[in-house]
Amino acid sequence: MQRAIDLALRGRGYTRTNPCVGAVLVKNGEIVGEGWHQAYGQAHAEVNALAMAGSNAKGADLYVTLEPCTSYGKTPPCSVAIINAGIKRVFIGVIDHNRKHAGNGIRVLQEAGIEVVSGILATECANLIEDFTKYITTDLPYVTMKIAQSIDGKIATFSGESKWITGIESRTKVHELRKYSDIVLVGINTVLADDPELTVRLIPTDRHPARGVLDRSCKIPLSSKLVQTAREVRTIVFTSFAADAAKAAALRSHGVEVVFYTDLLDLLKKIGEMKMMNVFVEGGSTIFGAFMDAKLVDAVVIFVAPIIIGGEGAKGTFAGVGLSTLAEAERIKEMTIERVGEDIMIAGKLKGYGAIACSQG
């Protein structure tokens, strides 16, 4: 199952609103086939593993991170392919939260005489698809907040300088995280201060996430890098209904999509409707504070540089209202701490989307 999880991770960033899934076929103690869901609309992990195994699939055991599907969509149901291949036993990581499949895959396989065991490395398999689980159960994308700050909690000096607080190793890691996201989101103040590209540049890639700007007044300059490259990389300005219509039209003429929203929850609903499952919030402090105040953050990745900026006028990580009591504070769960170059990366969750308990198998 661990091998299946490793395979599933190869599909990160490519499955769109589908989950990352890995599958391994074992026969007589040897792996005879393996596969993963490589891209949205393409064959699922189980089908790829069966194709690799060929005739060796008959009588083999299948290890798969997620319950096999039972309905026709972009591809035929994997449960049928498993039955037709003559698989002996199926070991499943977690049950599918999709109401079309939840528990049905197990039932269909068992009715065909296949032995099914579920809950193998369930926590690890559930963590693999938390974005999908949130999306399929709430229609909202999974929100990860990325922060780069000094050790005293500053993201810029009092003059506004912020490039670069963290080292090249941390910035490379950020580009890796961008690659796995569907949309990178920043506020207009970040665009005005830094004129960012928000593309994946420091690692090899064949994809870039969409780029989104929260800009209620359509202040974004037409000369900005985001606008000037909008025909190359999808760029969306999220603005209010009171925004200047002429400026919105000008942005559209440059290839920028203009989307109107009311509040952050409405924003996430609209991103979900665009079939985007992962939101990577990169700043700045106003956006960080607004998302935290609205309790819409699912996970955080914080890069802490070993520098002290100081000063009351230096920009802190979070603006917004904040909390009046410590009892209200959201605690980071499943926290990991890692050295990245000279920096420290702290990652964890504010919310969790776990496995469905199932007594079958």
Side-chain angles (χ1 to χ4, degrees):
M1 188 62 77
Q2 184 58 59
R3 174 58 179 168
I5 291 171
D6 294 341
L7 290 168
L9 287 170
R10 298 184 184 183
R12 288 179 65 192
Y14 296 90
T15 62
R16 288 180 61 189
T17 54
N18 285 346
C20 292
V21 181
V24 175
L25 283 165
V26 177
K27 189 173 184 179
N28 299 324
E30 295 184 358
I31 292 177
V32 295
E34 57 183 29
W36 68 96
H37 184 32
Q38 297 180 15
Y40 180 78
Q42 294 185 16
H44 289 184
E46 302 95 314
V47 173
N48 286 328
L50 290 169
M52 179 178 175
S55 61
N56 281 327
K58 187 173 183 178
D61 293 336
L62 170 66
Y63 292 80
V64 61
T65 57
L66 183 66
E67 177 183 17
C69 61
T70 56
S71 64
Y72 287 85
K74 295 285 184 183
T75 60
C78 295
S79 54
V80 173
I82 293 168
I83 293 168
N84 291 341
I87 297 301
K88 181 181 178 182
R89 296 185 297 180
V90 175
F91 296 88
I92 296 171
V94 290
I95 310 305
D96 198 334
H97 281 72
N98 189 333
R99 289 185 293 272
K100 293 180 180 178
H101 312 306
N104 289 331
I106 290 177
R107 177 183 55 79
V108 168
L109 294 175
Q110 288 178 329
E111 288 176 352
I114 297 174
E115 181 184 347
V116 179
V117 179
S118 63
I120 311 299
L121 295 185
T123 298
E124 293 85 347
C125 291
N127 287 340
L128 182 67
I129 59 165
E130 280 197 305
D131 51 358
F132 168 76
T133 299
K134 181 187 180 184
Y135 183 81
I136 203 68
T137 56
T138 68
D139 294 324
L140 297 175
Y142 192 85
V143 177
T144 300
M145 180 181 292
K146 185 278 296 184
I147 296 166
Q149 65 176 45
S150 65
I151 204 166
D152 59 332
K154 306 293 185 180
I155 62 172
T157 66
F158 73 85
S159 67
E161 183 181 355
S162 62
K163 292 184 176 181
W164 299 99
I165 288 178
T166 54
I168 184 62
E169 296 88 352
S170 291
R171 299 200 297 277
T172 301
K173 185 69 174 178
V174 169
H175 282 239
E176 180 182 331
L177 295 171
R178 279 183 187 173
K179 177 182 176 180
Y180 298 140
S181 303
D182 294 322
I183 183 168
V184 175
L185 203 62
V186 298
I188 182 58
N189 291 335
T190 296
V191 176
L192 295 176
D194 299 337
D195 193 21
E197 295 178 63
L198 302 181
T199 52
V200 180
R201 302 182 303 281
L202 300 183
I203 60 171
T205 185
D206 57 358
R207 76 180 294 274
H208 296 281
R211 306 172 298 183
V213 182
L214 297 187
D215 182 8
R216 286 194 165 277
S217 301
C218 274
K219 293 180 181 177
I220 186 169
L222 298 179
S223 60
S224 66
K225 292 175 183 175
L226 292 174
V227 174
Q228 289 298 309
T229 58
R231 298 192 188 281
E232 301 166 22
V233 180
R234 186 178 184 183
T235 305
I236 308 168
V237 168
F238 297 96
T239 192
S240 71
F241 290 96
D244 181 71
K247 180 63 175 293
L251 289 171
R252 290 192 183 98
S253 72
H254 282 76
V256 176
E257 298 175 41
V258 178
V259 176
F260 300 97
Y261 76 104
T262 55
D263 56 25
L264 290 182
L265 181 57
D266 183 51
L267 170 81
L268 292 183
K269 288 179 179 177
K270 285 182 166 56
I271 291 175
E273 290 168 358
M274 295 175 188
K275 305 299 183 184
M276 296 184 186
M277 198 164 65
N278 294 283
V279 177
F280 197 54
V281 180
E282 290 206 35
S285 62
T286 300
I287 301 304
F288 290 155
F291 268 92
M292 287 300 295
D293 285 346
K295 298 188 180 302
L296 292 173
V297 180
D298 298 302
V300 293
V301 182
I302 305 171
F303 295 90
V304 182
I307 61 173
I308 298 173
I309 293 176
E312 292 183 1
K315 187 168 289 188
T317 302
F318 296 99
V321 176
L323 306 174
S324 61
T325 67
L326 290 177
E328 300 173 78
E330 293 194 71
R331 185 172 295 274
I332 298 176
K333 307 172 187 70
E334 299 181 40
M335 183 172 65
T336 61
I337 301 174
E338 178 184 340
R339 186 75 176 264
V340 182
E342 293 187 346
D343 305 325
I344 294 173
M345 182 180 76
I346 302 170
K349 306 171 189 175
L350 298 182
K351 299 180 177 65
Y353 303 89
I356 294 178
C358 185
S359 60
Q360 294 169 295

